[in-house]
Amino acid sequence: MRSQPPSQSPSPPPAQPARVGSPGFPFAGGHPRSSDAVLAAALFACSFPGSVITFPGQDLSVPWWPGVVLAGASCAALIRRRDRPRGTVVVTLACAVAASALGYLLTVLLLAPLMAALYSLAVSTDRRTANTFAFTGIALLVGVGLPSGPPGEPLVLKLLGPAAWLLLPTALGTVTRLRAAYLDAVQARAEHAERTREEETRRRVAEERMRIARDLHDVVAHHLVLAGLQAGAVARHLPARPEEAARLTADLTGTTASALRELKSTVGLLRRAGTGDADEPTHPGEHVRHVPEPGSGGSTPGLAQLPRLAASFEGAGLEVTLHTEGEPAPITAGAELTAYRIVQEALTNVTKHAGARTAAVRLVYADDRLTVAVTDDGATHPKVPVSAGGGYGLIGMRERARSAGGRVRTGHRPGGGFEVVAELPLGTRKTNESHPV
């Protein structure tokens, strides 16, 4: 039994015949030759009485044994109906035409082998081939049966009988083939959809891992750098300036407490994302929010916390100034968090690598974009070469900007120093009062 390999595309090519294990006969299991032999024997048992059928009140005008011989030859050809469907139709059609030429009445019993062969042909080949053989058989049987049929047979029966008995198995075989092709296509599409879902799941998991890595890097690196600088300052000032050391110790305590708060907030967002809590947006751009007023609270960092972020660097010896140009406009939650994290990482890099004393943060609102620029006075050159793409901080800034639909460029300033410039889309101008900061 021949079968085609399963298709790898979502929809199998229409020109290919459908995969059918056993063309329409439910008793054909794992032994096709045996089942075909059983089918041939059953149809021969039906064809034998069909060779002696006549009209009521009429005697058989021809001997009965030629019909039995033709029926036996026709049924024997069905054993090869799977691997040679065209040859089987030719043999069974020749036997049927010979029986019609001898004057036998073409009943469904006598045409049963030809009908089975046409059904197998329609299942295993295309519609055009099956129809060609069927109409050719009809033409031959009608052409031979009109002059050679039994006397008294109605003309309508001579014309419509062969047409009906041959078109019926052809149509059923075509329907079976099309149904099998449809089921193959549905299965292929389901397998393709399953593969697509798995790939999408893996992609989302990878993106989520990168987002978690960026968040933890931003939170931990920023506060650990400040804590290390403040701890070093305490060690230096403790012997000679105990009051200054006490103030720096308080700042260090505040820095570690702020690190714990942000870390708890980040982990809390991840937990809510895992449990399906929809009260807090966890994906960039889910909600549109107003630019918050300075000093407002909120568990998710935003532009309103930039003054407090700038003040946190004073203990590390870095003076940060903030400038805003243009009219503040509504901004998406994802873009606002991205802007805050970029400023935080840029100032942390200034403290770690540049050795600068002053830095400037400039927010420029223009049209539908927010430009965030962080520059330093360039006391020393950065320790991380720009040509190498920077460390994880610069990589994280670029990834954050891309996820929010923006971009980041970094490099040395012509007059000295280093700059980080991020361009982020503001999003829709419609505000969402249900999600204020």
Side-chain angles (χ1 to χ4, degrees):
M1 177 178 63
R2 296 183 300 175
S3 62
Q4 294 184 352
S7 175
Q8 298 298 325
S9 59
S11 56
Q16 297 293 333
R19 293 183 289 108
V20 180
S22 177
F25 301 106
F27 51 81
H31 304 281
R33 292 298 184 190
S34 300
S35 62
D36 289 343
V38 173
L39 174 66
L43 293 182
F44 178 73
C46 296
S47 301
F48 180 78
S51 61
V52 295
I53 293 179
T54 60
F55 285 104
Q58 293 184 1
D59 296 329
L60 186 64
S61 59
V62 294
W64 60 269
W65 63 267
V68 174
V69 172
L70 292 174
S74 181
C75 292
L78 292 178
I79 299 178
R80 304 299 302 274
R81 66 184 179 89
R82 298 176 188 271
D83 51 353
R84 297 182 181 276
R86 293 175 176 82
T88 303
V89 173
V90 171
V91 172
T92 54
L93 177 60
C95 293
V97 170
S100 178
L102 291 176
Y104 288 97
L105 181 62
L106 295 180
T107 62
V108 64
L109 297 178
L110 199 60
L111 294 177
L114 177 59
M115 295 171 63
L118 285 174
Y119 177 85
S120 300
L121 179 68
V123 168
S124 58
T125 61
D126 59 278
R127 181 184 302 178
R128 182 176 181 179
T129 301
N131 290 342
T132 300
F133 275 86
F135 284 109
T136 301
I138 292 172
L140 290 175
L141 291 178
V142 171
V144 173
L146 284 176
S148 304
E153 182 180 6
L155 180 62
V156 175
L157 186 60
K158 290 183 178 181
L159 295 176
L160 298 183
W165 296 127
L166 268 60
L167 289 179
L168 177 62
T170 304
L172 290 178
T174 301
V175 170
T176 301
R177 178 180 56 81
L178 294 178
R179 181 177 180 273
Y182 171 76
L183 294 178
D184 284 347
V186 169
Q187 182 179 0
R189 289 190 183 98
E191 293 174 355
H192 177 72
E194 183 66 24
R195 289 194 301 269
T196 303
R197 281 194 296 268
E198 293 176 356
E199 294 172 358
E200 179 68 14
T201 300
R202 287 194 294 268
R203 185 185 65 83
R204 289 183 178 274
V205 169
E207 291 179 352
E208 187 66 12
R209 290 177 60 186
M210 294 299 297
R211 187 180 71 84
I212 294 172
R214 288 195 301 266
D215 288 340
L216 293 180
H217 174 273
D218 292 343
V219 173
V220 175
H222 165 66
H223 290 94
L224 285 182
V225 167
L226 292 184
L229 293 175
Q230 291 166 352
V234 170
R236 289 194 304 270
H237 294 301
L238 185 58
R241 302 168 62 183
E243 296 82 2
E244 183 69 17
R247 185 186 67 81
L248 292 174
T249 302
D251 292 342
L252 178 58
T253 303
T255 299
T256 55
S258 178
L260 290 176
R261 283 196 304 270
E262 288 205 35
L263 194 58
K264 181 180 179 180
S265 175
T266 301
V267 174
L269 288 176
L270 296 178
R271 284 183 178 273
R272 283 195 292 273
T275 56
D277 189 353
D279 294 337
E280 189 74 19
T282 59
H283 193 276
E286 277 191 5
H287 302 296
V288 178
R289 305 188 294 183
H290 279 295
V291 175
E293 296 296 332
S296 62
S299 59
T300 303
L303 298 180
Q305 283 75 41
L306 287 182
R308 187 169 59 186
L309 176 66
S312 67
F313 285 90
E314 293 179 359
L318 180 65
E319 181 182 354
V320 181
T321 58
L322 300 175
H323 302 280
T324 301
E325 300 178 11
E327 183 67 23
I331 185 172
T332 62
E336 183 178 0
L337 178 60
T338 298
Y340 178 88
R341 293 300 188 192
I342 289 175
V343 172
Q344 182 186 54
E345 181 60 30
L347 294 177
T348 301
N349 286 342
V350 171
T351 306
K352 291 169 57 179
H353 305 299
R357 295 299 178 183
T358 62
V361 178
R362 188 161 53 96
L363 305 178
V364 180
Y365 292 90
D367 297 331
D368 59 346
R369 303 192 74 81
L370 169 65
T371 301
V372 181
V374 181
T375 59
D376 61 72
D377 58 7
T380 60
H381 293 291
K383 298 177 183 178
V384 180
V386 180
S387 61
Y392 291 116
L394 296 181
I395 295 175
M397 284 191 285
R398 295 189 182 98
E399 290 176 348
R400 281 187 178 278
R402 282 198 299 267
S403 67
R407 61 179 182 175
V408 169
R409 66 177 186 273
T410 60
H412 296 286
R413 300 169 61 195
F418 197 78
E419 69 176 357
V420 175
V421 180
E423 295 181 0
L424 303 173
L426 291 175
T428 178
R429 294 283 178 172
K430 297 180 182 180
T431 60
N432 192 334
E433 301 295 341
S434 62
H435 295 279
V437 177

